[in-house]
Amino acid sequence: MSSQPLDEDGFHSIAWDDAPPRQALHDVSSPLEEDSEGFESISPSSAVSPTSGPTVPAAAHGAGSSAQARNLTPGGDIDPAEWAGRWMVIQVKDPVKEHEGSKDQYISYAVRTQTNLPSFQNQPEVVRRRFQDFSFLREHLVKNFPACVVPPIPDKHRMEYIKGDRFSPDFVEKRRYELQKFADRIARHPTLQRSKLVHDFLISTEWSVAKHYHISHPPPDSHTSLIDSLSDTFINAFSRVRKPDERFIEMAQSIERYEEGLGGVERLVGRSKQRVDDLSQDYQDMAAAYQGLGYLESGITEPLNRFAEKMLDFSALLKHMNTTTVDPFLNQSHSLLAYAHAHRQVIKLRDQKQLDFEELSAYLSAVVSERDRLAALSTGHSGAPVGLGTYLRDQVDKLRGTDDIHTRRERMRKLDSRIKELQEAVTTAHETSTAFSDEVLKEHAVFELSKKQEMKDLLQTYADGQVEMLQRAMDDWDRIIPVLQRIRVDV
């Protein structure tokens, strides 16, 4: 993997270097002065040593959730060298209904950023963004950084919009959680986190002006017409890479195995959640039965009623565990699957770049062969073996009387011009494919780091929730057992 700095790779069609200008972004006396060139080395192989990274302020740990702090700060469980000493915490919180009662009402979210990136000095405490702003951010990040794994955001087209329930507290909180996961992944991404678009999104107090600026200043290679894009897709729709790269084959297969495994876990936990709901209802029914039995057994009415109350408490505890532990587990696992799918799409796009290079090379080879054949015929030599189509065309030209030396020379002249164009196109396609491959390798390293941290948090939160539920259940049952043991039964 190349360790060439991003600012000097010159490959703007893969990952645009749209970071804010470095001048006037940090004070001369800043403690980050020794690393004032920004986030240059993004791959783990070029990360600084754990002792060389900047110290994280204590305030960063108390600014958000403990999971976010663990994800991004050197005080967490991930080696700070893996993120090259840089950290960023983005909080999406406090949803508020704007223009309530009007047809233009929407939900806005408070976005707060804390980071040691020099470009984010003097940022405002909080800015407010709506879902459309997050959608705009992701859409333009995908355009600006085609080789980056841009995290997904929740789909806008949901049943809540049809049913008119998109302002319900449950829906709003679920959306806020998914937007928080999107922000966390942006904060962990060493390329996206320093993008000018992300910079404006996180701190601009005039976001509508910033949006119009980014719309009016698209990336240089984003002007390709829709017809050109569709033609490329149709041409290569049924083609396959002739010389597949084993690194990316293994990469794609590992992601598929990960998706398959995580999908299986998600299905099992979903079935378990349904069984726990059923079990909770059974405990409620059993509590009602014991309460009825207590009225019949007058001598032990109080112990039976207290036992029934503990059953109701345990039923509520099971529901609470599903709400606070299982539901977030399912939401986060679903989000991880979408994140992995976005990575697979980037790998497919890399294959497309390689296929473009191979197709152009094959086309160039065919044009060169045709030019050499015409040159051989012009000198009186027999041309190289040709295909059926070329043979039939030569015969038709002979019948028309157009197969003379002047016609062949004109065709050779046109072919020479075409060869020159194709040679330049092949060179560009090769550079594009190589640079895209290098970027995807870096992206895979970032994805693996992010996935490792998210899986750790996911499983740790799930295990903590299960342990908490069992501990509370044990405490409740331990308190009721002495009451039941005091029941005297005459034999």
Side-chain angles (χ1 to χ4, degrees):
M1 186 183 306
S2 173
S3 59
Q4 187 180 18
L6 287 180
D7 291 344
E8 299 175 3
D9 58 8
F11 199 82
H12 299 292
S13 62
I14 294 301
W16 317 98
D17 185 16
D18 65 347
R22 303 190 191 282
Q23 59 270 22
L25 290 180
H26 54 86
D27 187 74
V28 176
S29 59
S30 169
L32 298 176
E33 184 177 9
E34 66 275 14
D35 194 18
S36 59
E37 286 301 308
F39 205 106
E40 296 296 337
S41 303
I42 69 170
S43 63
S45 61
S46 57
V48 296
S49 63
T51 59
S52 63
T55 303
V56 177
H61 297 274
S65 66
S66 59
Q68 294 174 21
R70 284 198 309 270
N71 287 357
L72 299 168
T73 63
D77 297 320
I78 292 297
D79 185 350
E82 293 177 328
W83 303 110
R86 295 301 191 193
W87 61 269
M88 176 185 283
V89 176
I90 304 173
Q91 290 176 286
V92 182
K93 57 182 182 178
D94 299 335
V96 173
K97 188 182 296 185
E98 307 280 359
H99 305 296
E100 187 172 1
S102 68
K103 62 181 180 65
D104 297 325
Q105 64 180 343
Y106 62 89
I107 301 295
S108 69
Y109 304 87
V111 179
R112 183 185 182 188
T113 305
Q114 287 186 298
T115 177
N116 66 351
L117 291 177
S119 59
F120 282 85
Q121 291 189 7
N122 301 321
Q123 71 262 33
E125 280 292 315
V126 173
V127 294
R128 299 204 69 88
R129 300 287 183 256
R130 58 186 296 186
F131 178 78
Q132 291 181 0
D133 298 328
F134 285 90
S135 180
F136 176 90
L137 173 64
R138 185 184 188 278
E139 177 186 351
H140 284 76
L141 284 177
V142 170
K143 292 179 180 178
N144 295 3
F145 300 88
C148 288
V149 182
V150 181
I153 60 173
D155 188 7
K156 183 177 181 179
H157 305 289
R158 292 191 173 185
M159 289 301 296
E160 285 78 0
Y161 283 86
I162 300 176
K163 297 184 298 183
D165 199 25
R166 62 190 179 98
F167 297 109
S168 66
D170 290 341
F171 176 76
V172 171
E173 174 56 26
K174 185 175 181 180
R175 168 160 286 181
R176 186 208 64 80
Y177 173 83
E178 292 174 329
L179 293 177
Q180 180 65 65
K181 297 306 298 180
F182 169 76
D184 290 342
R185 290 163 180 161
I186 293 293
R188 282 194 297 262
H189 198 289
T191 300
L192 300 181
Q193 67 173 196
R194 71 186 194 125
S195 163
K196 187 178 188 303
L197 177 58
V198 171
H199 178 273
D200 292 343
F201 176 84
L202 294 177
I203 73 171
S204 177
T205 56
E206 297 181 352
W207 171 237
S208 59
V209 177
K211 282 201 300 184
H212 284 96
Y213 171 83
H214 289 286
I215 292 173
S216 60
H217 294 79
D221 287 355
S222 65
H223 301 286
T224 305
S225 67
L226 180 62
I227 298 298
D228 293 337
S229 301
L230 290 178
S231 63
D232 289 342
T233 302
F234 290 142
I235 289 173
N236 297 323
F238 302 100
S239 303
R240 301 188 66 178
V241 175
R242 296 185 179 91
K243 296 180 179 179
D245 192 323
E246 293 295 332
R247 297 174 298 175
F248 299 103
I249 292 177
E250 175 59 29
M251 191 183 296
Q253 291 176 347
S254 67
I255 296 174
E256 290 177 2
R257 291 193 297 267
Y258 171 74
E259 290 178 326
E260 181 179 354
L262 186 58
V265 171
E266 187 179 31
R267 289 189 294 271
L268 287 174
V269 173
R271 288 199 293 267
S272 174
K273 176 179 181 294
Q274 183 60 48
R275 292 174 183 174
V276 170
D277 286 337
D278 295 341
L279 184 61
S280 175
Q281 185 60 47
D282 291 342
Y283 271 100
Q284 288 186 16
D285 297 340
M286 188 178 294
Y290 272 100
Q291 285 177 340
L293 182 61
Y295 293 119
L296 298 176
E297 298 292 338
S298 57
I300 56 173
T301 298
E302 182 183 358
L304 288 179
N305 284 340
R306 292 185 62 181
F307 183 68
E309 290 174 0
K310 288 304 176 184
M311 284 191 169
L312 289 175
D313 291 343
F314 185 64
S315 174
L317 186 59
L318 290 175
K319 290 183 177 180
H320 177 74
M321 188 265 295
N322 268 351
T323 301
T324 60
T325 300
V326 179
D327 285 344
F329 180 91
L330 294 175
N331 291 337
Q332 188 169 352
S333 61
H334 186 73
S335 177
L336 272 170
L337 287 173
Y339 193 24
H341 179 72
H343 188 13
R344 278 205 296 127
Q345 293 302 114
V346 172
I347 296 175
K348 288 183 179 180
L349 185 57
R350 188 220 72 88
D351 292 342
Q352 182 70 42
K353 299 299 181 183
Q354 181 179 345
L355 186 59
D356 291 342
F357 166 65
E358 292 180 347
E359 293 291 339
L360 282 172
S361 298
Y363 186 29
L364 173 61
S365 178
V367 173
V368 170
S369 297
E370 174 65 10
R371 197 271 181 203
D372 292 342
R373 187 183 70 84
L374 291 176
L377 291 176
S378 298
T379 57
H381 297 84
S382 59
V386 298
L388 179 60
T390 303
Y391 173 78
L392 292 177
R393 186 184 63 188
D394 289 346
Q395 296 303 314
V396 170
D397 288 343
K398 289 181 181 180
L399 292 175
R400 289 178 177 176
T402 59
D403 186 28
D404 55 19
I405 188 170
H406 297 291
T407 302
R408 285 198 297 270
R409 286 178 177 175
E410 179 62 22
R411 288 176 60 187
M412 289 170 58
R413 186 186 63 79
K414 292 181 179 179
L415 287 176
D416 286 337
S417 176
R418 185 60 174 165
I419 287 172
K420 184 178 180 180
E421 294 176 359
L422 284 173
Q423 286 174 339
E424 295 176 354
V426 167
T427 300
T428 302
H430 180 262
E431 293 174 351
T432 301
S433 177
T434 302
F436 209 99
S437 298
D438 292 341
E439 290 294 326
V440 172
L441 289 173
K442 297 176 183 177
E443 285 299 304
H444 186 65
V446 173
F447 173 79
E448 287 295 318
L449 287 174
S450 184
K451 182 187 72 173
K452 179 174 67 173
Q453 182 63 56
E454 290 195 33
M455 285 298 298
K456 183 180 183 299
D457 292 339
L458 173 70
L459 297 176
Q460 180 176 336
T461 303
Y462 183 76
D464 289 345
Q466 296 285 339
V467 170
E468 180 186 4
M469 185 275 294
L470 294 174
Q471 186 63 53
R472 291 177 60 182
M474 289 171 59
D475 294 341
D476 287 344
W477 290 118
D478 286 341
R479 283 191 289 268
I480 196 62
I481 287 176
V483 176
L484 298 178
Q485 288 176 339
R486 286 195 294 269
I487 298 176
R488 294 292 180 263
V489 179
D490 296 333
V491 179

